[in-house]
Amino acid sequence: MLKPNKLVNKNFLSSLDMSSEEVNHIMELAENFKNKNLNIDLNNKVLGLIFDKSSTRTRVSFQVAMSRLGGNTIDLNPITSQIGRGEPIKDTARVLSRYCDVLAIRTFNQYAIEEYAKWSSIPVINALTDLEHPCQALADYMTIKEEFNDFKKVVLTFIGDGNNVANSLILCGALLGVEVRIACPKGYEPNSLVINKANAISKKNNFLKITNDLYSAVSGANVLYTDVWSSMGEENKKEDKDKDFHGFTIDSNLVEKAAKDAIILHCLPAYRSKEITDEIIESKNSRIFNQAENRMHAQQALLSCLLS
Ligand code: CP
Ligand code: NVA
């Protein structure tokens, strides 16, 4: 019977905290959880959720995943806990390590989550930072695998801002051997450290293409993926970014340039008629709601590996 294997790294702060074998193992477990072929009991282990930003999918999918594993969740609201008052991370992390078995943290700076990991004796999971969204990438590639099975034949084009979601797609794509293209307006290219790390681990020549030319990036792609133009924490940049991203919209005209069987992904929440049209979200090519569902199965797999 399939069993969750312990991961080499204690924490999941970046997509690169896993090896390609580990990502494939997580996806196999997730598929088995989804098909109800696998039952794991974590015996009342407790997941602490610290969310400095809003969330629907990540929060609820972690809560349900934990409950399906026979565990519990505590939602540590930064406003009603002492976290919002500015208690040092090194104190909070050491205290929570004595109550909980694992923490999932959504915050701004990657440094903050690294600080939590440094001072925690329990695993820490990145539930989104400005730099990465590694749990999202696990569900995204699970959804792509459901469609195409073999990653080696897949071209994924991400259209939008080169920040958290794009960065984790690049890194996890490098682990899995997917060809990744990023189409963004000038000045919104992904983090150069992320690009260098991805190029260093990818076994594929020219696996990554970063371009400002939307149409060349979309041509023949199997997956078109987008995210909001202005991320959480960028509310004051909205007006400028709306102008800068003008034209970077997944609409029916753009979808025609992709491969015939191309699927559409979006991490959600979406701004319909900005980065994607309502018609495309609702189209037969869209796998957006399967992708959202897969967050829960992938995180159930992640938690069972981290806590086994
Ligand atoms: N995709 C995602 O992380 O959604 P939430 O912000 O609702 O958690
Ligand atoms: N880039 C978006 C992703 C939301 C899931 C943000 O950071 O707000």
Side-chain angles (χ1 to χ4, degrees):
M1 223 222 356
L2 188 63
K3 268 192 0 235
N5 294 333
K6 191 126 202 96
L7 303 174
V8 169
N9 285 318
K10 170 179 142 273
N11 305 303
F12 188 48
L13 308 184
S14 160
S15 290
L16 287 194
D17 282 336
M18 279 186 207
S19 64
S20 45
E21 290 74 24
E22 287 175 332
V23 177
N24 281 311
H25 176 59
I26 294 278
M27 282 192 294
E28 191 185 1
L29 289 171
E31 193 187 312
N32 279 275
F33 278 124
K34 186 170 184 173
N35 297 333
K36 304 206 172 1
N37 289 330
L38 189 59
N39 246 322
I40 304 286
D41 189 355
L42 292 180
N43 292 320
N44 297 317
K45 292 233 165 69
V46 176
L47 165 69
L49 296 173
I50 303 175
F51 279 49
D52 288 332
K53 294 174 177 173
S54 304
S55 169
T56 299
R57 278 142 290 269
T58 310
R59 187 196 304 277
V60 179
S61 57
F62 264 119
Q63 284 170 330
V64 177
M66 204 58 190
S67 131
R68 287 185 175 198
L69 290 166
N72 299 298
T73 328
I74 300 180
D75 198 349
L76 292 146
N77 181 334
I79 306 296
T80 51
S81 69
Q82 305 288 11
I83 295 169
R85 162 191 174 277
E87 182 169 8
I89 290 176
K90 62 180 178 185
D91 293 354
T92 307
R94 280 178 290 179
V95 171
L96 293 179
S97 294
R98 293 175 183 229
Y99 304 144
C100 301
D101 299 286
V102 54
L103 294 175
I105 301 173
R106 169 168 286 198
T107 191
F108 294 85
N109 203 314
Q110 184 76 11
Y111 171 77
I113 205 163
E114 282 165 7
E115 183 73 358
Y116 269 106
K118 180 176 162 193
W119 290 96
S120 296
S121 55
I122 57 175
V124 175
I125 300 171
N126 181 345
L128 180 144
T129 58
D130 292 344
L131 186 68
E132 277 207 52
H133 198 0
C135 295
Q136 180 71 53
L138 291 178
D140 299 341
Y141 283 111
M142 175 182 174
T143 312
I144 293 169
K145 186 161 185 239
E146 286 175 337
E147 196 69 31
F148 300 106
N149 199 37
D150 184 2
F151 287 123
K152 305 236 160 16
K153 292 187 195 137
V154 173
V155 176
L156 180 157
T157 298
F158 176 91
I159 299 145
D161 198 359
N163 68 354
N164 44 20
V165 169
N167 288 337
S168 287
L169 285 172
I170 292 172
L171 294 171
C172 199
L175 291 173
L176 294 171
V178 177
E179 181 180 333
V180 179
R181 302 176 188 164
I182 307 288
C184 59
K186 230 176 162 33
Y188 294 100
E189 289 80 9
N191 181 296
S192 54
L193 269 176
V194 167
I195 297 175
N196 293 343
K197 281 186 193 169
N199 278 322
I201 57 161
S202 172
K203 296 190 179 87
K204 214 172 185 163
N205 280 342
N206 305 320
F207 111 91
L208 180 62
K209 180 175 173 190
I210 317 276
T211 176
N212 308 127
D213 177 0
L214 182 57
Y215 285 93
S216 74
V218 166
S219 173
N222 309 101
V223 182
L224 299 188
Y225 192 130
T226 190
D227 180 15
V228 290
W229 292 342
S230 299
S231 287
M232 290 178 276
E234 296 188 326
E235 290 71 19
N236 59 347
K237 296 187 185 160
K238 219 173 181 144
E239 230 173 276
D240 287 342
K241 290 189 91 172
D242 280 356
K243 283 190 204 126
D244 294 344
F245 281 82
H246 182 76
F248 282 76
T249 301
I250 303 190
D251 57 15
S252 51
N253 179 39
L254 195 71
V255 173
E256 269 178 30
K257 312 284 185 292
K260 218 168 77 241
D261 62 348
I263 60 165
I264 313 298
L265 300 181
H266 190 310
C267 54
L268 298 177
Y271 281 105
R272 288 164 193 244
S273 83
K274 285 200 175 178
E275 73 274 6
I276 190 164
T277 60
D278 180 68
E279 183 194 357
I280 296 300
I281 294 187
E282 304 297 343
S283 70
K284 66 175 184 12
N285 309 58
S286 167
R287 297 292 179 276
I288 292 171
F289 295 99
N290 294 353
Q291 178 188 8
E293 177 187 334
N294 286 341
R295 293 292 308 275
M296 177 175 67
H297 306 302
Q299 284 155 205
Q300 216 176 323
L302 173 68
L303 288 165
S304 49
C305 288
L306 289 175
L307 295 173
S308 67

